[in-house]
């Protein structure tokens, strides 16, 4: 006995029938199929009726035996003599067919059900096989075979139709049927029509049948749920993504975690949800998610559940921000919605892990809040999330989130939030090298904060504008603006921005080779950041001091700052911080003559800079790598590294650094010298040099 279980429309019956036909030669005594109507509007077929029907099919007069026990015994004896393949289609649950198992013990029995038959598995050793949806290539092939030659003219539309069907055979069949019935309609037009969930869920409702659509198929499983479980399923339709944690769903439903878990277990058993991993997260098939969204659209508790969802994500994201960046000030928050219990974090590692795990849901919540005109959530969420996104180099997500924050802050009438969002978006474009966009957003932000008289906003924007001067090679302008930022931050008592201004002033002075003038500013920044428990800032200032002391030849002093920076790196967990520290460590190791370690750190820094899409960081790492390669005699690889670094610096307008590298390239122009190996006897041969090592490859 085998149970084929799965969601509505996944092809359980078709699979059972296809297997039976393919193996019919082994079953000479035949196959018997009976629809038990476990889900549907037709009356359910119960065990006595099944027994009577089977006896009649085997040619035994049913009226010869009056009692149900006698009929069951007679059926068992007949099947022992003449075993068959029996398909019990559409069983409601284990109890529906449990009493049949003894009578059918001598036959091959295939049971299909939309519910996992746990009792049969535990008590009667019936194996449950779950049918999953089709992968995209198979879905595409299915549509091509069903629709025919038209698909060759519109391959992209076919792929989009396959994605809309999301691997569900019933959906793909209905889509193919709709295409076949509309030969004058292009497949591209069909795609645009079926993007509307209402149309997609109701294709098949063409008057020929009342239960041929996806909506009809899904409704049978939904109607079998208890009221409490049906409510949880509907609430899943409010969530913007198809995957959700138990904790978030509990907040939305305003129920205990235990009650939510029980409801989800029931949905999994009914194949209305799945648990994709070993964490407390659940996923709803995209088509079922659309069906749930259609059900909940006019639900009277829609608005309250939606607000609890936004409240959960906002307050949880803020808690993660406070755990990971305790020195950073976040946006003012509204009160937690009644019934909502946000997540709490014990440390920065847990906070970062949650932020990355929930990243897709958080971004979707931002867009959803803006669409629903809940702009207070739409601009606050990005400001709670952006530091974590920046830490991992997820700049495209930063840009998307902050673009929403700008428009939502304006719609919310919050000028301070609008200016802050403009500044943050400008900073992201500055990091990624989109200087024109950076200037546009920073100038708009500066105009707003000056119009509204927001001194902390003015310092913040000016810090980024000064960095724009620095990155563009206008170092004297950058130094002057950083000094002004330092003065303003001190005057308003803002120690965080005072530390930033001091550190960046040190960077600009270092770029001018004024290392001794930079030293007190770095030390001021380090002290302020240590007092504020700013781990990321502390690592950055230690890293800058490693660089400075290495340049001055004070290697022991450089090492005294490298060690505490590495000790804090696991806590910081940032690509940019690690990239910078690896780069200066490479330069320090090279100064000590430890070139293997220097090469390894430089190559790691290049890799991290590429992952973080950090243009200046990649240029600096390549420059450090080129220096080690050049001093090892690998001129070709050194020229390649320096050439890449110079091009990156030119793109960023840092012509001074580019020119310096181009001078170094000219100094080592020409082919690598051929150095013969030492002779060990009377040999006449001369060894060729080793080929240059490729850039970005680790040495171990």
């Amino acid at each position: 006995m085998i149970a084929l279980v799965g969601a509505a429309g996944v092809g359980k019956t078709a699979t059972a029938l296809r297997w039976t036909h393919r193996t019919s030669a082994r079953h000479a005594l035949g196959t018997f199929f009976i629809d038990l109507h476990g889900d549907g509007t037709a009356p359910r077929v119960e065990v006595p009726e099944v027994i009577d029907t089977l006896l009649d099919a085997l040619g035994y007069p049913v009226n010869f035996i009056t009692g149900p026990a006698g009929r069951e015994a007679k059926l068992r004896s007949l099947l022992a003599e003449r075993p068959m393949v029996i398909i019990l289609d559409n069983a409601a649950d284990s109890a529906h067919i449990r009493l049949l198992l003894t009578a059918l013990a001598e036959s091959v029995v295939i049971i299909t059900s939309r519910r996992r038959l746990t009792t049969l598995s535990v008590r009667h050793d019936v194996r449950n096989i779950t049918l999953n949806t089709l992968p995209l290539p198979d879905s595409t092939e299915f549509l091509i075979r069903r629709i025919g030659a038209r698909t060759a003219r519109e391959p992209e539309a076919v792929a989009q139709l396959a994605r809309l069907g999301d691997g569900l055979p019933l959906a793909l069949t209905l889509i193919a049927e709709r295409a076949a019935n509309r030969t004058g309609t292009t497949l591209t037009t069909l795609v645009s029509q079926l993007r509307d969930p209402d149309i997609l869920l109701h294709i098949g409702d063409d008057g020929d049948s009342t239960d041929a659509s996806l909506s009809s198929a899904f409704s049978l499983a939904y109607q079998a749920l208890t009221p409490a479980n049906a409510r949880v399923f509907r609430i899943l339709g409010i969530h913007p993504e198809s995957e959700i944690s138990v904790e978030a769903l509990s907040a939305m439903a305003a129920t205990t975690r235990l009650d939510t878990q029980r409801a989800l277990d029931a949905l999994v058993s009914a194949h209305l949800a799945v648990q994709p991993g070993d964490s407390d997260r659940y996923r709803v098939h995209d088509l079922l998610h659309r069906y749930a969204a259609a059900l909940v659209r006019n639900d009277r508790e829609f608005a309250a559940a939606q607000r609890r969802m936004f409240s959960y994500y906002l307050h949880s994201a803020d808690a993660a921000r406070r755990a990971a960046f305790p020195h950073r000030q976040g946006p003012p928050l509204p009160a937690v919605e009644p019934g909502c219990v946000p997540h709490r974090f014990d440390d920065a590692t847990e906070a970062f892990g949650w932020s990355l795990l929930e990243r897709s849901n958080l971004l979707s919540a931002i867009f959803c809040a803006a669409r629903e005109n809940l702009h207070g959530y739409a601009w606050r969420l990005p400001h709670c999330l952006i530091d974590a996104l920046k830490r991992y180099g997820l700049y495209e997500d930063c840009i998307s989130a902050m673009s929403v924050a700008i428009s939502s802050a304006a719609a919310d009438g919050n000028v301070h939030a609008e200016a802050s969002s403009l500044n943050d978006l400008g900073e992201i474009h500055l990091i990624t090298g989109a200087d024109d966009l950076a200037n546009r957003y920073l100038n708009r932000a500066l105009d707003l904060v000056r119009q509204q008289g927001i001194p902390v906003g003015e310092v913040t924007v000016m810090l980024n504008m000064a960095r724009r001067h620095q990155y563009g090679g206008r170092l004297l302008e950058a130094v002057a603006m950083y000094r002004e930022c330092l003065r303003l931050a001190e005057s308003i008592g803002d120690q965080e921005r005072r530390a930033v201004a001091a550190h960046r002033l040190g960077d600009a002075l270092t770029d001018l080779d004024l290392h001794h003038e930079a030293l007190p500013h770095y030390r001021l920044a380090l002290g302020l950041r240590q007092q504020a428990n700013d781990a990321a800032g502390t690592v950055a200032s230690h890293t800058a001091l490693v660089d400075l002391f290495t340049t001055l030849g004070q290697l022991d002093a450089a090492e005294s700052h490298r060690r505490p920076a590495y000790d804090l790196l696991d806590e910081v967990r940032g690509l940019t911080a690690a990239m910078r520290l690896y780069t200066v460590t490479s330069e320090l190791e090279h100064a000590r003559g430890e070139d293997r370690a220097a090469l390894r750190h430089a190559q790691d820094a290049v890799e991290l800079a590429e992952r973080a899409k950090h243009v200046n960081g990649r240029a600096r790492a390549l420059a450090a790598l080129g220096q080690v390669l050049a001093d090892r005699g690998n001129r070709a690889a050194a020229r390649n590294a320096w050439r890449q670094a110079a091009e990156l610096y030119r793109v960023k307008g840092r012509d001074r650094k580019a020119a310096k590298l181009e001078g170094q390239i000219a100094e080592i122009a020409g082919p690598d010298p051929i150095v013969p190996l030492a002779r060990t006897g009377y040999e006449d041969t001369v060894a060729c040099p080793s080929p240059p090592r490729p850039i970005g490859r680790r040495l171990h």
Side-chain angles (χ1 to χ4, degrees):
M1 293 185 179
I2 292 176
L4 291 179
V5 297
V10 81
K12 301 179 293 297
T13 304
T15 300
L17 292 174
R18 182 168 179 80
W19 177 84
T20 303
H21 284 299
R22 289 178 63 182
T23 60
S24 60
R26 301 186 220 163
H27 310 295
L29 295 177
T31 301
F32 187 84
F33 176 95
I34 185 167
D35 187 347
L36 299 176
H37 298 299
D39 291 298
T41 57
R44 200 166 91 164
V45 178
E46 301 295 349
V47 170
E49 186 178 350
V50 174
I51 292 175
D52 287 353
T53 305
L54 282 167
L55 285 171
D56 184 64
L58 292 170
Y60 190 87
V62 176
N63 56 3
F64 278 22
I65 306 174
T66 57
R71 292 182 182 185
E72 179 187 334
K74 186 61 180 180
L75 176 62
R76 185 167 62 248
S77 65
L78 290 174
L79 290 176
E81 298 171 2
R82 301 167 60 187
M84 303 174 66
V85 176
I86 299 173
I87 299 175
L88 301 176
D89 190 45
N90 199 7
D93 50 31
S94 294
H96 189 182
I97 56 172
R98 184 174 57 83
L99 297 178
L100 271 173
L101 300 187
T102 304
L104 306 182
E106 300 299 327
S107 296
V108 176
V109 181
I110 302 173
I111 308 158
T112 73
S113 179
R114 295 180 182 180
R115 184 176 298 278
R116 187 166 184 84
L117 304 179
T118 305
T119 301
L120 293 189
S121 177
V122 172
R123 297 184 180 178
H124 302 281
D125 198 28
V126 175
R127 184 182 178 189
N128 278 250
I129 298 177
T130 301
L131 295 190
N132 295 314
T133 54
L134 298 175
L136 184 60
D138 289 351
S139 298
T140 304
E141 181 184 346
F142 177 92
L143 289 177
I144 291 172
R145 187 171 67 249
R146 291 293 294 265
I147 297 173
R150 293 166 59 195
T151 58
R153 298 192 295 271
E154 300 178 84
E156 180 55 34
V158 176
Q160 293 180 47
L161 288 173
R163 293 187 190 97
L164 285 170
D166 204 24
L168 192 68
L170 176 60
L172 295 167
T173 301
L174 290 168
I175 289 170
E177 182 64 18
R178 188 177 181 88
N181 288 340
R182 289 163 172 78
T183 55
T185 302
T186 65
L187 298 182
T188 302
T189 300
L190 185 60
V191 169
S192 65
Q193 293 172 350
L194 296 183
R195 289 194 192 283
D196 183 335
D198 287 333
I199 296 177
L200 179 59
L201 289 171
H202 288 90
I203 55 173
D205 289 343
D206 57 3
D208 180 59
S209 174
T210 59
D211 59 356
S213 68
L214 288 171
S215 181
S216 298
F218 295 158
S219 68
L220 296 175
Y222 169 72
Q223 290 166 9
L225 298 173
T226 65
N229 296 339
R231 174 179 177 265
V232 170
F233 178 73
R234 290 196 305 275
I235 287 175
L236 283 169
I238 299 173
H239 197 260
E241 292 284 317
S242 57
E243 184 170 308
I244 191 171
S245 67
V246 175
E247 192 175 53
L249 186 56
S250 296
M252 293 176 68
T255 55
T256 66
R257 186 184 182 94
L258 179 59
D259 286 342
T260 305
Q261 185 67 67
R262 286 173 174 168
L264 284 166
D265 288 343
L267 296 181
V268 170
S269 178
H271 291 95
L272 294 172
V274 295
Q275 188 174 11
D278 59 359
S279 60
D280 286 340
R281 300 179 70 78
Y282 290 80
R283 183 179 300 148
V284 184
H285 189 281
D286 282 351
L287 292 170
L288 282 167
H289 190 228
R290 294 185 185 192
Y291 175 69
L295 289 175
V296 80
R297 192 177 303 153
N298 298 316
D299 199 304
R300 62 183 180 181
E301 68 171 327
F302 177 92
Q306 186 182 67
R307 283 187 172 276
R308 288 193 295 268
M309 175 186 73
F310 290 130
S311 185
Y312 169 79
Y313 282 125
L314 175 61
H315 286 274
S316 299
D318 184 67
R321 179 196 61 76
R322 285 185 279 108
F325 306 95
H327 62 287
R328 299 294 299 272
Q329 184 177 358
L333 301 185
V336 178
E337 288 287 322
C340 169
V341 180
H343 195 90
R344 292 293 177 261
F345 303 93
D346 294 329
D347 52 39
T349 300
E350 184 186 354
F352 280 126
W354 181 89
S355 298
L356 292 176
L357 184 64
E358 295 289 358
R359 169 186 157 209
S360 178
N361 285 337
L362 289 165
L363 291 169
S364 292
I366 291 168
F367 302 135
C368 181
R371 287 194 305 270
E372 297 291 323
N373 294 319
L374 296 172
H375 295 294
Y377 289 108
W379 70 256
R380 285 182 173 92
L381 262 171
H383 286 280
C384 293
L385 183 62
I386 189 169
D387 286 325
L389 295 176
K390 285 163 59 179
R391 179 63 57 87
Y392 289 95
L394 300 170
Y395 297 123
E396 291 181 3
D397 290 345
C398 291
I399 291 169
S400 298
M402 276 302 155
S403 298
V404 174
I406 291 169
S407 58
S408 285
D412 205 32
N414 192 319
V415 177
H416 194 293
E418 183 181 2
S420 178
S421 303
L422 285 164
N423 170 76
D424 287 356
L425 185 55
E427 181 187 18
I428 298 302
H429 284 305
L430 190 64
I431 293 170
T432 58
D435 295 341
D436 291 342
L437 288 172
N439 282 336
R440 181 194 307 172
Y441 289 112
L442 291 174
N443 284 324
R444 284 174 58 189
L446 189 60
D447 289 342
L448 271 181
V449 295
R450 284 177 171 170
Q451 289 169 11
Q452 299 296 318
I454 307 172
V456 66
E458 185 172 356
V459 175
T460 303
V461 179
M462 286 178 62
L463 281 169
N464 283 321
M465 298 186 86
R467 183 158 53 160
R468 171 69 188 97
H469 285 308
Q470 182 183 349
Y471 285 178
R474 300 179 294 277
L475 296 176
L476 294 178
E477 292 92 329
V479 167
M481 189 170 282
Y482 282 138
R483 290 189 190 279
E484 177 63 13
C485 291
L486 189 59
R487 184 191 66 78
L488 283 172
E490 187 173 8
S491 69
I492 62 175
D494 191 318
Q495 301 304 323
E496 179 187 345
R497 285 162 183 78
R498 186 181 172 209
V500 173
H503 183 103
R504 292 185 185 172
L505 176 56
D507 287 344
L509 291 169
T510 297
D511 285 346
L512 287 167
D513 296 328
L514 300 174
H515 303 289
H516 291 287
E517 288 188 37
L519 181 57
H521 296 295
Y522 282 141
R523 283 175 168 162
L524 171 62
L526 179 61
L528 291 170
R529 286 168 163 173
Q530 287 174 329
Q531 290 174 17
N533 194 28
D534 177 2
T538 299
V539 169
S541 294
H542 275 308
T543 300
L545 286 165
V546 174
D547 184 25
L548 185 145
F549 283 123
T550 300
T551 302
L552 294 176
Q554 300 177 30
L555 304 188
D556 289 341
E559 177 63 22
S560 72
H561 287 282
R562 187 195 67 82
R563 285 196 304 271
Y566 266 94
D567 291 342
L568 284 172
L569 200 57
D570 284 342
E571 180 180 343
V572 172
R573 294 169 61 90
L575 291 178
T576 303
M579 168 198 74
R580 290 170 176 160
L581 184 55
Y582 287 173
T583 300
V584 300
T585 298
S586 171
E587 293 165 344
L588 174 59
E589 297 286 8
H590 184 49
R592 290 169 165 168
E594 302 289 341
D595 283 348
R596 287 186 67 83
L599 276 172
R600 185 177 68 252
H601 280 104
Q603 290 163 343
D604 287 345
V606 171
E607 179 184 342
L608 288 172
E610 290 173 348
R611 286 170 56 192
K613 301 177 184 177
H614 199 295
V615 178
N616 282 309
R618 184 163 179 251
R620 172 74 184 273
L622 284 165
L625 178 60
Q627 189 63 60
V628 180
L629 291 167
D631 291 346
R632 283 171 62 93
N634 199 338
R635 293 184 176 184
R639 286 194 297 270
N640 186 25
W642 281 341
R643 191 174 295 113
Q644 290 182 62
E647 290 171 356
L648 291 171
Y649 278 136
R650 289 289 185 199
V651 167
K652 293 292 295 178
R654 305 188 78 172
D655 295 333
R656 187 169 178 267
K657 287 184 175 291
K660 180 180 178 181
L661 286 172
E662 288 161 356
Q664 292 174 206
I665 293 170
E667 288 178 8
I668 61 170
D672 289 351
I674 297 177
V675 181
L677 296 176
R679 299 191 179 190
T680 57
Y682 299 101
E683 302 162 342
D684 294 325
T685 59
V686 177
C688 292
S690 300
R693 289 183 174 86
I695 300 301
R697 181 179 177 183
R698 286 189 178 189
L699 287 176
H700 295 286

